[in-house]
Amino acid sequence: MTHPPKSTAAPPVAGSGLPGAPGIPAQPVRPAPAGSPAPSARRSAFAEGVDRLRDAATTEPGRLRIIGAVLALLVVAFGAAAAWQASERGAAADDVLHRSQPLSSGAADIYRSLADANTAASSGFLAGGQETAVSRDRYEKDIRTAAAGLVTAAANAEPGSASETTVARLNTLLPEYKGLIERARTYNRQGYPVGGAYLRYANEKMQKEMLPAAEDLYTKENQRLDADYGDATPYPWVAIALGVLALAALGWAQNRTYRRTNRVLNHGLVAASAATTVALLWLVVGHAVARSELNGSYDHGIRSLTVLHDARIASLKARGNENLSLVARGAETVTVDGQTYDAYYYDFDKDMTNLGTSLARAAKLADDQGGSTPVKAAEGNMAVWKQRHTAARTEDEDGNYQQALDEVIGAKGATGECFDGVDTNLARAIDHEQAEFQRAAGDGRDAMAGLPAGAAVLAALGAAGALFGIGRRLSEYR
């Protein structure tokens, strides 16, 4: 009988740990020793970068590279901040000169034109059918000036703003006012007393609706002007602080280089310090000059212009009320503290008081002969006006209407001459102060001209100089 061949493979050895061997247990996996670190996840690029930076900082070349990068960053940051803040202030100064102040003066002209148109209309009405061409032309010119001013104001008003709403309201009221004046003139030429009623109604619309709206527009434009001044005059503290910090860092780096090499100067760091110093001085001195000129343009220009505009408006109101007192002939009264007064005479007295106050303030603000001379002349005109008005009022109260009328709108020796003198002298004073403002504000804006670009260029040169200076030190380690 044949036996199967015996296997020549060696049997599994006990303790070999081979799996699947019958009767032989698998070798157990030994646990990790206590205290050994657990396997960690892959580190972030930032953490690895920090490690590499820390390793580089342990060597002098690595430290120099870090110093060079920090110096360049500080100088560039200073240049960027200087260019940004100088550019913002220069733009605000340009807005003061070419946008907000002209719009403020334009709003004042709208008010003056409307008030003067109302005065011219009442003067023409008093002349009856003999209204002069001069009076008519003055009224028409004032209306055109006001309409043109409203077009300009509408073009520069921000969409949805309160100024846009005010301008739209004035554009609606102006044709209504013109229609009432034309009706008053038509009935007046025909001799109908109802013409006086239409004129008083037109005056009421002007005094209670149009002039308050124009004054509100003037106030809003002045607020815009103040905001532009507020943006143009603050010191650029962020840029100044960065400039001082950059200079301190450059000084420290040069001192460090000197202590390690005994070399007094590092040309690259010296050039960087010089460029940064020039940019910082330019920024500080240029802004100081600009701030001084802009403040001067406000103190000696804007404040004077505001007071002079107030005086001119008060004189126009006074003249209108003086005329209307003769048109109404006592039909409009007002009761104050239990006493009854003619409403237009009462308002005239208030307007003359305001005129005197404004002229006194304008005289104090005038800082040269060109500004003070016309103001003093206007004060003289006002004094004579008061005297003649008192005489006219006496004639009117005594029942001498024609004599009172001649005292007010007569060809010679009338109060109209005094009003024209006040208005003309105030216009001269306004032109003078406007020129003073433009000169000072222009100088303030020009003091910052070229500063943004200059600061950027100098900062770039400073950063390049810092890198070059550090690079020269690094080359010594190669």
Side-chain angles (χ1 to χ4, degrees):
M1 187 168 80
T2 305
H3 294 280
K6 293 182 179 180
S7 173
T8 58
V13 180
S16 64
L18 292 176
I24 302 175
Q27 184 72 21
V29 178
R30 294 180 181 180
S36 62
S40 59
R42 181 178 179 84
R43 303 187 66 200
S44 66
F46 175 77
E48 293 178 356
V50 171
D51 287 343
R52 284 196 296 270
L53 186 63
R54 186 184 299 114
D55 293 339
T58 60
T59 64
E60 181 61 12
R63 285 192 288 268
L64 287 174
R65 291 187 180 92
I66 294 173
I67 291 171
V70 171
L71 290 176
L73 181 62
L74 281 175
V75 175
V76 169
F78 160 61
W84 162 54
Q85 292 196 297
S87 178
E88 280 196 337
R89 282 152 180 76
D94 190 71
D95 284 343
V96 165
L97 182 62
H98 291 128
R99 187 185 67 122
S100 52
Q101 196 281 326
L103 289 175
S104 174
S105 291
D109 284 340
I110 291 172
Y111 192 111
R112 188 205 64 79
S113 297
L114 291 175
D116 193 59
N118 199 47
T119 299
S122 60
S123 297
F125 186 92
L126 287 174
Q130 292 77 36
E131 180 182 5
T132 64
V134 173
S135 176
R136 178 77 181 187
D137 291 343
R138 181 171 181 171
Y139 167 82
E140 294 293 346
K141 181 181 178 182
D142 286 332
I143 292 296
R144 289 194 301 269
T145 301
L150 289 173
V151 170
T152 301
N156 288 277
E158 296 181 0
S161 65
S163 294
E164 185 182 53
T165 303
T166 302
V167 171
R169 176 168 174 75
L170 283 170
N171 276 322
T172 301
L173 291 172
L174 187 58
E176 296 177 4
Y177 172 81
K178 288 176 62 179
L180 291 172
I181 292 296
E182 291 307 318
R183 289 186 182 182
R185 280 177 169 157
T186 299
Y187 287 124
N188 188 47
R189 283 195 298 267
Q190 296 173 358
Y192 294 146
V194 73
Y198 273 106
L199 182 65
R200 291 194 299 273
Y201 184 33
N203 176 72
E204 184 178 359
K205 183 176 288 289
M206 176 65 74
Q207 298 291 343
K208 294 185 178 181
E209 297 183 59
M210 298 178 70
L211 290 183
E215 185 175 8
D216 183 58
L217 179 63
Y218 178 55
T219 300
K220 287 181 172 60
E221 294 301 341
N222 277 342
Q223 290 172 350
R224 184 192 298 194
L225 176 60
D226 290 341
D228 285 339
Y229 266 107
D231 292 337
T233 54
Y235 278 106
W237 291 116
V238 173
I240 291 174
L242 285 173
V244 171
L245 182 61
L247 279 178
L250 287 167
W252 172 84
Q254 291 179 82
N255 181 62
R256 182 180 186 277
T257 300
Y258 169 72
R259 286 188 286 105
R260 281 167 169 73
T261 65
N262 287 327
R263 295 170 184 164
V264 177
L265 297 177
N266 178 296
H267 294 163
L269 294 179
V270 169
S273 299
T276 304
T277 300
V278 170
L280 183 58
L281 287 175
W282 190 359
L283 176 67
V284 173
V285 174
H287 188 271
V289 172
R291 179 187 174 92
S292 176
E293 293 292 343
L294 286 170
N295 286 338
S297 73
Y298 188 89
D299 292 336
H300 304 296
I302 297 301
R303 291 177 62 194
S304 293
L305 285 170
T306 300
V307 173
L308 290 169
H309 283 309
D310 290 343
R312 202 174 189 189
I313 288 168
S315 71
L316 287 164
K317 284 184 174 181
R319 180 59 177 173
N321 284 317
E322 185 178 48
N323 290 340
L324 286 166
S325 66
L326 295 178
V327 173
R329 304 184 71 173
E332 299 288 340
T333 60
V334 60
T335 302
V336 179
D337 296 332
Q339 293 189 350
T340 302
Y341 303 92
D342 181 287
Y344 297 112
Y345 278 143
Y346 183 81
D347 288 340
F348 172 86
D349 291 336
K350 288 197 305 182
D351 295 331
M352 292 301 282
T353 299
N354 293 335
L355 174 60
T357 301
S358 296
L359 288 176
R361 291 179 59 197
K364 290 181 179 180
L365 290 172
D367 56 354
D368 58 10
Q369 188 174 0
S372 61
T373 299
V375 173
K376 291 179 180 178
E379 288 179 320
N381 296 139
M382 182 188 70
V384 178
W385 186 358
K386 286 182 175 180
Q387 295 173 1
R388 294 181 180 179
H389 173 79
T390 300
R393 182 182 294 190
T394 301
E395 295 288 356
D396 185 33
E397 291 174 349
D398 291 343
N400 301 322
Y401 178 77
Q402 187 59 48
Q403 288 84 343
L405 192 62
D406 292 339
E407 290 279 356
V408 173
I409 65 169
K412 187 175 181 181
T415 59
E417 289 182 347
C418 301
F419 163 72
D420 289 337
V422 170
D423 193 66
T424 300
N425 283 307
L426 286 176
R428 286 174 52 206
I430 288 173
D431 289 342
H432 174 78
E433 298 299 338
Q434 182 72 28
E436 289 291 299
F437 160 79
Q438 290 178 340
R439 179 197 59 76
D443 290 343
R445 180 204 57 184
D446 294 342
M448 289 185 284
L451 181 54
V457 171
L458 288 170
L461 293 175
L467 293 175
F468 175 76
I470 297 299
R472 292 295 299 273
R473 286 281 293 121
L474 281 171
S475 66
E476 297 172 2
Y477 290 88
R478 297 172 186 166

